[in-house]
Amino acid sequence: MWERNHGGRGDMTVVQSAEEVSVLGQGSQSQRSKREPAVYRISISVLLLLLSLEWIYPITSSGQQGSGRFLTVMAGLTGALLMAELLRTGWMLGIAVRLLVALTALCLMYGGSDPAGWALGYPETWMEDIRSFMESGHFYSISTETRGLLMMCGWSMLMASVQSLVLMRRSVMLFGSATLLYLLLLETLAGLDVYASVVRSVLWILLIQTILQLLRLLEGGTTPTFHRYPYVRWCTVAAAAAAGMVLLAALPGRVVPVPGPERISLDQIGERLARWAGYTPRGSIPASASVTGYSTSDAPMGSPLVQGNAVFFTAKSPQVTYWRGETRSYYNGSTWSDPAQNFQKASPAGLFRADGWENQTYWTRIRQTVTMERPWRGPNPLFTGGVPLNLSFQDTNEQNEENRMALLSNADSATLWLAGSSSREPIQTYTTDVMIPTASPEQLRLLGEAHSSSQDPAAIRRTYLQLPESLPERVRSLASDIIQKSETRYDAVQAVRTYLAEHAEYTLDTRMPPRGTDFVDDFLFVTGEGYCNHFSTAMVVLLRAEGIPARWVKGFSAGSPDPEVPGRYVVTQGDAHSWVEVYFPGAGWMPFEATPGFALPQGDTTDAAAVAGAQPGEEIPPQSGGGIGSAGAWLLARARALAAEPWLAAALAAAVLLAAAGALRMRRLRSALRLRLLLAWPRSSFPDRERLLSAAAPVWAALARRYGPRPPGMTLREYAASPALAAGTDAADIARFAADWERLLYGPDRPLRADSLAFLRRALRLARRLPLP
């Protein structure tokens, strides 16, 4: 039976057409939005902002460089997007506003102290990214800035969809479930501690769902009595109740100390499942593979790598060298960072170090020229083959004047950074004088004893002997066993190198250590496999455990010699590398190679081919004409390749025809599919009157097309009983459908679920027999 509504309009004989039903539905939605005051929509949007930040906070809570700025910009971006959605602009204006907000956030993210100046120079980077992508066909070839733009655009679409879904459908469970699943995956795959984020997310979800429930109460028959300000009172009571629940849940832990549980997290469960399935003998959840290359971020180490081949820069050097980018001093058990780097502004016209530190007995001076494959903008490191003394830019601007870019120099780590600048002109070529070590093993053996650090400066000992308190004792014991027989510092370094070469294997097919496991401990005692990050980090930790100052360096290996130009080297993303520098009193920081199969060059007698750590990059023919020309050339090349493979062309044509046929079929079945979805809806209060009528309205259009349109003034029941329809095989269903339609249209607002399902099933039967529009 249909539910009675004492305020109903009774059995009226006036009939509305399908178009009127559509207008009725739109009017109902507009009335619904008018009934929702601003405080309701604002409260929901604020809670959505807090819930969406739980997607960002866990990946920025490790203290990595730039994580605070990323969190701030993303919070501002999300807040601006949610506010823009509240303005209810048209869809075209809404897209323009969201794109403008994403571009503004991008400038704030990467523009440093001059976002406006950075924005003026970004279009050139965009065109260069298009050219690089068309040439290589790989997403990793585009710049970090463009990847950030794509991420922000995707985030904008997600936030707009989520806000519309919550405000219109009055349910946050879909986005809330996705949030909780995402957090659990972060714990499982990335080893992040997301417990607090999960608790907060549950709180935000409950609060949003509580506020949404108020509308259902206000529209139903069991509406509570609110004399004034129902939304404010309901939100206040909901927030107080949620806070009370949280405090009550935390009270037992305050009264009675709870012992720390033996953590069995999802990643351990996944590892056991992987072992049971025979995925890997060591039982590890495989991480997603990354492409080799240089990055300034300090992410947790250990993920598997895929060899990259894109050219990063070319260099001219009289001697073979590694290319230093950055150094790291602080190890937390999973990654390296350097929270206290002391950079000073430097002028390219002068010396970066003028204290006479370089000792010609151990160092020699050479000049190198580096040409970046793509225009290089700050903030980014400048790669040098040794300790830089000075640097000059070789590029000129439109007025044929030399670039005067701002430089940042760190005398302690001997690194250079190109600072962010308002200049639109990026740099591409620079020349630098560097000091490279030439000390022989015999000289280094005289500079320090293996088990004594008394000759090291206090600042060196304080910074470069740091180890995490959680470092397993067996790592320290292993360091003592390896180095105990070494008399000099140089011999201790060689002992560690020999041990790593004999007890570990080089491979890019690795996995992330389980959460809570030390990276070095997992490498030395569990896997015994890894690449440069594994070997170099293990070497630094083992040396520090025995009181030998050491630091971690990342940059590029020597690259591949150019057979046509002597002294020129091509450095690709596959040459990205990390190694170790050890402090020797009286000589400074000396580089050492920790990874088997790599040879750190020491002087001009080393063969360049022997120290190149990766294969040469794939040759890509130069393109011209900017981004549009590259796009055209890329499409032409793909078309020629397709024409050369007839079977592939035939398969593609067949796929296009099948897709077209499927689209045509789906268009005809669209109305029937909607009816099926409504039948599958699990909630007892759905579908409502407007959705029932809207979904079944195409049945009348199909009847009019088969039996003729309904004459003016004729009711739906009279039309269903007309001779043309009564003579058909569907006469009984049509008559019952018309009667239910009128009862639903002019009867109660909330029909019983059983009657709604019967109405939908009858409409679906008619939809199958009649050609719907």
Side-chain angles (χ1 to χ4, degrees), residues 413-596:
S413 62
T415 55
L416 293 177
W417 272 68
L418 182 65
S421 174
S422 60
S423 174
R424 296 182 56 186
E425 297 294 332
I427 67 103
Q428 195 155 9
T429 303
Y430 57 90
T431 297
T432 177
D433 288 344
V434 299
M435 302 296 294
I436 61 173
T438 57
S440 64
E442 291 74 17
Q443 291 174 318
L444 294 179
R445 284 190 175 95
L446 301 176
L447 292 178
E449 298 180 1
H451 302 279
S452 174
S453 61
S454 59
Q455 297 179 342
D456 300 323
I460 296 292
R461 297 196 303 269
R462 182 171 56 252
T463 304
Y464 297 106
L465 291 178
Q466 175 272 335
L467 287 174
E469 296 181 358
S470 59
L471 184 70
E473 186 62 33
R474 61 180 179 178
V475 176
R476 300 179 186 271
S477 299
L478 177 62
S480 177
D481 294 339
I482 296 173
I483 300 177
Q484 62 179 350
K485 296 182 180 180
S486 302
E487 296 182 357
T488 67
R489 183 165 295 185
Y490 178 82
D491 293 333
V493 175
Q494 296 302 322
V496 173
R497 289 186 60 191
T498 302
Y499 178 86
L500 294 176
E502 293 177 351
H503 293 82
E505 297 181 1
Y506 180 86
T507 179
L508 298 179
D509 186 15
T510 59
R511 50 87 161 157
M512 298 288 291
R515 185 176 60 86
T517 302
D518 185 85
F519 176 72
V520 172
D521 179 80
D522 184 70
F523 168 63
L524 293 175
F525 295 99
V526 181
T527 66
E529 293 180 347
Y531 45 87
C532 57
N533 287 350
H534 297 75
F535 287 91
S536 57
T537 301
M539 184 172 179
V540 173
V541 170
L542 292 173
L543 291 174
R544 288 185 176 186
E546 285 299 292
I548 300 177
R551 66 188 182 190
W552 189 73
V553 189
K554 63 177 179 177
F556 291 88
S557 60
S560 304
D562 190 337
E564 299 180 356
V565 181
R568 183 174 182 267
Y569 302 92
V570 179
V571 182
T572 68
Q573 291 280 18
D575 294 314
H577 193 51
S578 61
W579 61 96
V580 179
E581 289 183 348
V582 181
Y583 186 79
F584 285 82
W589 292 97
M590 291 290 168
F592 290 90
E593 180 57 76
T595 308

Side-chain angles (χ1 to χ4, degrees), residues 44 49 86 89 139 217 420 440 531 535 611 643:
I44 294 293
L49 171 63
L86 293 177
T89 58
F139 181 75
L217 293 176
S440 64
Y531 45 87
F535 287 91
V611 301

Side-chain angles (χ1 to χ4, degrees), residues 166-465:
V166 172
L167 293 178
M168 299 302 296
R169 304 293 184 182
R170 299 175 185 172
S171 176
V172 74
M173 299 312 297
L174 179 61
F175 183 61
S177 301
T179 302
L180 296 177
L181 178 62
Y182 165 77
L183 293 175
L184 294 178
L185 289 177
L186 282 184
E187 181 191 34
T188 303
L189 301 180
L192 300 179
D193 186 4
V194 298
Y195 175 76
S197 294
V198 170
V199 173
R200 289 193 301 266
S201 298
V202 172
L203 178 61
W204 307 141
I205 294 170
L206 292 177
L207 285 175
I208 294 174
Q209 199 63 33
T210 302
I211 298 176
L212 291 172
Q213 186 65 22
L214 176 61
L215 283 182
R216 297 192 180 94
L217 293 176
L218 292 177
E219 294 174 356
T222 59
T223 306
T225 302
F226 293 99
H227 298 289
R228 298 181 63 185
Y229 311 115
Y231 291 92
V232 175
R233 294 188 179 187
W234 184 271
C235 295
T236 303
V237 172
M245 292 172 61
V246 172
L247 293 177
L248 184 63
L251 185 60
R254 297 290 182 180
V255 177
V256 180
V258 179
E262 185 176 336
R263 300 180 67 92
I264 303 178
S265 59
L266 290 179
D267 57 343
Q268 294 171 322
I269 297 175
E271 288 180 2
R272 294 176 183 178
L273 291 175
R275 284 197 299 270
W276 175 80
Y279 186 86
T280 170
R282 287 179 298 276
S284 167
I285 298 176
S288 58
S290 304
V291 179
T292 55
Y294 190 88
S295 174
T296 57
S297 63
D298 300 319
M301 298 179 292
S303 62
L305 297 178
V306 176
Q307 189 77 11
N309 57 11
V311 176
F312 200 78
F313 63 84
T314 58
K316 293 183 179 180
S317 176
Q319 295 188 18
V320 183
T321 63
Y322 276 11
W323 303 95
R324 303 174 78 253
E326 300 171 82
T327 67
R328 294 289 182 262
S329 62
Y330 185 84
Y331 173 68
N332 65 0
S334 64
T335 186
W336 286 98
S337 62
D338 208 344
Q341 291 199 45
N342 184 23
F343 280 97
Q344 302 291 333
K345 290 186 178 180
S347 171
L351 291 175
F352 303 135
R353 293 285 297 265
D355 53 0
W357 65 272
E358 63 273 17
N359 189 326
Q360 296 299 329
T361 304
Y362 308 113
W363 301 82
T364 185
R365 181 170 179 167
I366 63 173
R367 174 165 294 186
Q368 299 173 323
T369 300
V370 175
T371 301
M372 305 302 297
E373 182 68 13
R374 302 178 53 193
W376 201 238
R377 290 181 173 86
N380 265 312
L382 294 173
F383 301 95
T384 61
V387 179
L389 296 179
N390 56 35
L391 184 143
S392 61
F393 298 109
Q394 305 302 311
D395 305 307
T396 57
N397 55 25
E398 296 177 355
Q399 288 75 34
N400 202 28
E401 298 175 350
E402 293 185 358
N403 278 343
R404 295 293 181 182
M405 305 294 290
L407 285 178
L408 298 177
S409 174
N410 189 330
D412 178 48
S413 62
T415 55
L416 293 177
W417 272 68
L418 182 65
S421 174
S422 60
S423 174
R424 296 182 56 186
E425 297 294 332
I427 67 103
Q428 195 155 9
T429 303
Y430 57 90
T431 297
T432 177
D433 288 344
V434 299
M435 302 296 294
I436 61 173
T438 57
S440 64
E442 291 74 17
Q443 291 174 318
L444 294 179
R445 284 190 175 95
L446 301 176
L447 292 178
E449 298 180 1
H451 302 279
S452 174
S453 61
S454 59
Q455 297 179 342
D456 300 323
I460 296 292
R461 297 196 303 269
R462 182 171 56 252
T463 304
Y464 297 106
L465 291 178

Side-chain angles (χ1 to χ4, degrees), residues 686-757:
F686 184 83
D688 56 14
R689 183 171 66 95
E690 289 82 4
R691 298 189 186 280
L692 286 171
L693 294 174
S694 178
V699 174
W700 292 114
L703 290 173
R705 204 165 38 248
R706 170 171 289 189
Y707 299 103
R710 177 171 55 89
M714 179 182 288
T715 66
L716 291 178
R717 294 197 188 190
E718 293 173 347
Y719 178 65
S722 61
L725 276 71
T729 57
D730 303 323
D733 281 338
I734 294 175
R736 185 61 185 271
F737 176 74
D740 290 347
W741 178 281
E742 288 188 349
R743 189 179 297 109
L744 180 64
L745 182 59
Y746 303 112
D749 289 338
R750 297 180 60 189
L752 296 176
R753 178 167 178 79
D755 295 324
S756 299
L757 293 177

Side-chain angles (χ1 to χ4, degrees), residues 31-51:
Q31 292 176 2
R32 176 190 300 174
S33 62
K34 289 180 181 178
R35 292 196 301 266
E36 300 169 359
V39 65
Y40 166 80
R41 301 174 66 87
I42 293 175
S43 300
I44 294 293
S45 300
V46 170
L47 292 174
L48 280 178
L49 171 63
L50 297 175
L51 181 60

